Amino acid sequence: MSDIHYETDTPVLYETRGAIAWLTLNRPGFANSQNSQMTYAIDECLQRAVNDDAVKVIVLRGAGKHFSGGHDIGTPGRDVAKSWPDRRTLWYDHVNKPGAELAYVREQEVYLGMCRRWRELPKPTIAMVHGACIAGGLMLAWVCDLIVAADDAYFADPVVRMGIPGVEYFAHPYELNPRIAKEFLFTGERMGAERAFQMGMVNRVVPRAELESSTTALAERIAEMPRLGLALTKQAINHVEDLQGKRAAMDAVFHMHHFAHAQGQLTVGNNLGGMDAKSMAAANKAGETEPKGEG
Ligand code: ZN
């Protein structure tokens, strides 16, 4: 679409240092909100890191003030109406599909499908989180094997305001105790890094100034392990999570999520339940969460 204004041609920066690949979300002017351009770039960079035999560990982080404010629901780079010829999860193009089909097909591809691919990468991944990690931002952190958070990091999923039961990659009751997950979703409030650590959602909380050095030290330590040992260990634990119902639960809730999108479309003509970036920002400000979360 020629009318889309992209903030940058490189929505994800890629570099390697020793055995570590660093992926940096690079839309700092929009709190690293994720449009399709960024999502496909993340996928490409992760594939590149997997294909590079010198890379043992992958770190995902955000440029600027925040890790990620969520999916793009209102920047000039929002590109939901754009086709991507090189799709990744074998779904057909969502563009110009009628009714609820458009959002369903799009989200099978770019949200649920790609997040599952990323979770199953054969190399260890670490999310290095600072500032906001909201809604779609949670999905990126949660698909990583480990999360290292700065003491200024906070997490929230405020999409219940849109009538939607959480973001597409529904890992909430696996990341958090179910009762805490309900509180997290029912209120949409921020959960600070320290509380997230207490709940077992993040591995380490470190001072912001030490975030990169601590993450590097952890990644280097992991990189000393044999590649296949790491890959098999990751598969083992992911397999056990799936035996505990994670994958099946996510499939079921994805359909509730799309019932909610359809209900919004039918009742207020907007699959975000009548909310947009501006109204979400205002509502979240009252609840002290940052804007840009999406359903
Ligand atoms: Zn959705």
Side-chain angles (χ1 to χ4, degrees):
M1 302 287 283
S2 57
D3 58 343
I4 296 170
H5 168 72
Y6 285 126
E7 186 182 18
T8 169
D9 291 332
T10 49
V12 181
L13 305 174
Y14 182 89
E15 65 174 310
T16 57
R17 288 185 229 150
I20 306 168
W22 293 81
L23 274 64
T24 307
L25 308 175
N26 188 37
R27 297 187 74 203
F30 299 109
N32 295 320
S33 69
Q34 303 158 44
N35 53 13
S36 295
Q37 184 206 27
M38 177 185 276
T39 309
Y40 281 91
I42 294 168
D43 197 68
E44 265 182 46
C45 291
L46 288 171
Q47 194 65 63
R48 184 173 166 185
V50 169
N51 288 341
D52 183 347
D53 277 346
V55 170
K56 299 282 295 288
V57 180
I58 301 163
V59 177
L60 180 64
R61 64 178 173 177
K65 281 174 63 183
H66 302 291
F67 177 74
S68 176
H71 296 142
D72 189 340
I73 61 169
T75 82
R78 190 174 192 224
D79 53 5
V80 289
K82 184 174 162 58
S83 293
W84 293 86
D86 183 20
R87 288 183 298 281
R88 302 307 168 96
T89 64
L90 300 180
W91 273 90
Y92 49 83
D93 189 6
H94 67 284
V95 171
N96 297 326
K97 299 302 181 290
E101 187 178 5
L102 187 151
Y104 183 84
V105 171
R106 173 177 157 74
E107 297 195 352
Q108 281 279 9
E109 161 83 2
V110 299
Y111 297 156
L112 185 60
M114 282 211 244
C115 279
R116 281 180 164 165
R117 279 160 58 82
W118 302 340
R119 170 184 178 249
E120 291 166 9
L121 293 175
K123 295 184 179 179
T125 51
I126 303 175
M128 184 177 110
V129 178
H130 72 292
C133 180
I134 296 179
L138 290 170
M139 295 168 51
L140 289 186
W142 286 349
V143 297
C144 291
D145 299 307
L146 305 177
I147 301 177
V148 179
D151 51 10
D152 69 348
Y154 55 93
F155 305 83
D157 188 356
V159 305
V160 178
R161 280 188 210 292
M162 300 169 169
I164 297 169
V167 286
E168 293 82 3
Y169 183 83
F170 190 79
H172 308 61
Y174 290 86
E175 296 289 345
L176 296 165
N177 168 304
R179 199 176 304 285
I180 302 298
K182 285 177 184 169
E183 178 188 350
F184 186 68
L185 284 162
F186 287 176
T187 66
E189 287 175 0
R190 293 178 180 187
M191 177 181 284
E194 192 55 42
R195 170 104 163 139
F197 174 73
Q198 290 164 2
M199 295 298 112
M201 197 178 93
V202 309
N203 296 84
R204 295 180 185 185
V205 181
V206 299
R208 175 67 186 275
E210 297 168 20
L211 181 62
E212 186 168 331
S213 59
S214 298
T215 306
T216 302
L218 177 61
E220 284 176 345
R221 177 150 197 173
I222 294 168
E224 291 169 8
M225 291 289 190
R227 175 175 52 221
L228 184 60
L230 290 168
L232 293 173
T233 303
K234 175 167 177 165
Q235 276 190 310
I237 293 179
N238 284 0
H239 179 64
V240 170
E241 279 192 300
D242 288 341
L243 290 175
Q244 290 168 338
K246 187 175 188 178
R247 188 177 181 90
M250 213 173 267
D251 277 331
V253 179
F254 185 76
H255 293 86
M256 298 175 201
H257 179 103
H258 277 274
F259 170 75
H261 276 322
Q263 173 72 353
Q265 198 71 49
L266 286 166
T267 54
V268 293
N270 169 326
N271 75 1
L272 304 181
M275 305 295 283
D276 58 17
K278 212 171 170 181
S279 54
M280 277 300 278
N284 290 337
K285 200 168 181 186
E288 292 188 0
T289 53
E290 294 268 323
K292 296 191 178 82
E294 191 205 340

